[in-house]
Amino acid sequence: MADGNWQTEFDSAERLHRSVLAEVGDRARLARSSLAYNQASQRVRSMVSKLGSEVQRLRAGLAKGEAKLTNHELNRRRDLLDSLSRKYQAAKDQVSEPASGVAARGQLLEDLGTTGWGTAPHSSEGFLGQEGSGRRVMPNRTGVMETERSLGVGTGQVKQEQQKMLDQQDAGLDVLADIIRRQKGMGQDIFREVTQQNDLIDEIDDRAENVNQRLLDTTSSVRVVSKKDRTCGYWVVILLLFIAIIAVLFA
C-alpha cells in the first residue's frame, strides 16, 4: 500500500464502521424474532468481517511503509489505527453477543467518544479514579494527546473556553496596538526634534565656515601690512645714508 493511499484507506474503514453503527441502530428497532432482524444481523456480521480485513490491511501497510514516515506521522497513524481496532473489537463483541434494544446501540456508539451517543458508566469510579465525578475518559481518535483539562469535557464547553481565550487574546492585542501607536507618536516627535537639531547644526556649520574665511582674509591682510612696514624702514635708512653722504661731500 502506498503512503498516499493509507489515509484514504483509513477514511474508508471509518466510513465502514459508521455504516456498521447505523445498521446496528436500524436492527435494534426490529423484533428479535423477525426475519428482517436475522437478515440485518447477517449484514452486520459481513460488514464487521470486512472491517476486520480493512484493519489488518491498514496495519500491514503501516508496518511496510513506516520507514518512510516521520516519527510524528508514524505515531499519529498508530493512534488512529489503535482507535479503529478498538472500534472493530467492540463491534465484533457486540455482534457475537448482541444486547437488546437501546443498550446494544449505546455500547457500540460509546466508542465514538460522543457524549450524546454513548451510555454513561454505571460504576462508582469517576474520572481518573475519583468517585462520584460522573466523567469518563474519551478515546483518542485523532492521534492528538488529551490533557487533564480536556479529558471528559464536552465539545460545547471546549468551544466556549477557546472563544474565551480568543477574546482575551483580542483584548491583549488591542492593548498592544495602543502601546505601538503611542510608541509611533513618540518616534515621530523624536524624528521632528532631531530634524530641527540637524537644521540648527547645519546653520552653525555654515556660520563657522564664514567666520573661518573672514579670519583667513584678515590674516592675509595683516601679513601684507607687516611686509610693507618692514620695507618702509629700509627706505628710511637708505634715505638717511644718502643725506649723510651728501653732507660729507659738501662739507
Side-chain angles (χ1 to χ4, degrees):
M1 181 188 300
D3 291 342
N5 295 332
W6 194 93
Q7 187 64 44
T8 303
E9 294 289 341
F10 178 82
D11 293 338
S12 177
E14 281 282 358
R15 288 193 295 271
L16 179 59
H17 176 256
R18 288 193 291 270
S19 298
V20 171
L21 297 180
E23 190 68 32
V24 170
D26 293 338
R27 189 187 67 169
R29 291 190 290 268
L30 300 175
R32 294 286 300 273
S33 59
S34 65
L35 178 61
Y37 184 91
N38 293 331
Q39 292 175 348
S41 298
Q42 291 178 0
R43 289 194 300 270
V44 171
R45 292 190 185 94
S46 177
M47 295 170 68
V48 170
S49 178
K50 184 178 178 181
L51 179 60
S53 300
E54 292 287 341
V55 171
Q56 293 299 325
R57 185 161 58 252
L58 287 170
R59 195 179 301 279
L62 182 60
K64 183 178 179 181
E66 64 180 0
K68 301 178 182 179
L69 301 175
T70 62
N71 290 334
H72 176 74
E73 180 64 18
L74 181 60
N75 291 332
R76 186 185 74 87
R77 292 189 180 186
R78 283 175 176 172
D79 289 338
L80 291 175
L81 190 55
D82 289 342
S83 176
L84 184 60
S85 297
R86 291 192 297 270
K87 295 175 184 178
Y88 161 69
Q89 189 61 43
K92 182 179 177 182
D93 294 342
Q94 187 61 35
V95 170
S96 61
E97 296 180 2
S100 61
V102 180
R105 182 172 178 267
Q107 185 172 353
L108 281 175
L109 295 180
E110 186 176 0
D111 191 57
L112 282 174
T114 307
T115 56
W117 289 357
T119 57
H122 299 287
S123 63
S124 60
E125 281 293 317
F127 176 64
L128 294 178
Q130 298 177 358
E131 294 184 0
S133 62
R135 302 174 68 185
R136 61 187 179 85
V137 178
M138 303 295 183
N140 188 350
R141 306 190 305 276
T142 62
V144 179
M145 298 301 296
E146 291 268 7
T147 62
E148 293 184 0
R149 203 174 161 189
S150 63
L151 284 172
V153 178
T155 304
Q157 186 176 354
V158 172
K159 288 183 178 180
Q160 291 177 359
E161 292 181 357
Q162 291 178 347
Q163 186 62 41
K164 183 178 180 180
M165 293 176 62
L166 290 175
D167 294 339
Q168 292 176 352
Q169 291 177 357
D170 290 340
L173 290 175
D174 291 337
V175 174
L176 181 60
D178 292 337
I179 294 175
I180 292 175
R181 281 194 291 269
R182 289 197 296 270
Q183 294 293 334
K184 180 181 178 181
M186 293 175 62
Q188 291 175 345
D189 293 339
I190 292 174
F191 176 76
R192 287 193 292 268
E193 183 68 24
V194 170
T195 302
Q196 293 176 359
Q197 294 295 331
N198 286 335
D199 294 338
L200 290 175
I201 291 173
D202 291 338
E203 184 178 355
I204 292 172
D205 185 63
D206 293 337
R207 291 183 180 181
E209 288 182 357
N210 292 332
V211 172
N212 186 36
Q213 187 63 39
R214 291 172 63 184
L215 287 174
L216 292 175
D217 295 340
T218 302
T219 302
S220 298
S221 299
V222 170
R223 287 178 179 175
V224 170
V225 171
S226 177
K227 186 181 294 186
K228 288 181 178 179
D229 289 342
R230 289 195 298 269
T231 305
C232 183
Y234 291 151
W235 282 108
V236 170
V237 172
I238 292 171
L239 182 60
L240 292 175
L241 290 175
F242 178 75
I243 293 172
I245 292 171
I246 294 298
V248 171
L249 289 175
F250 289 99

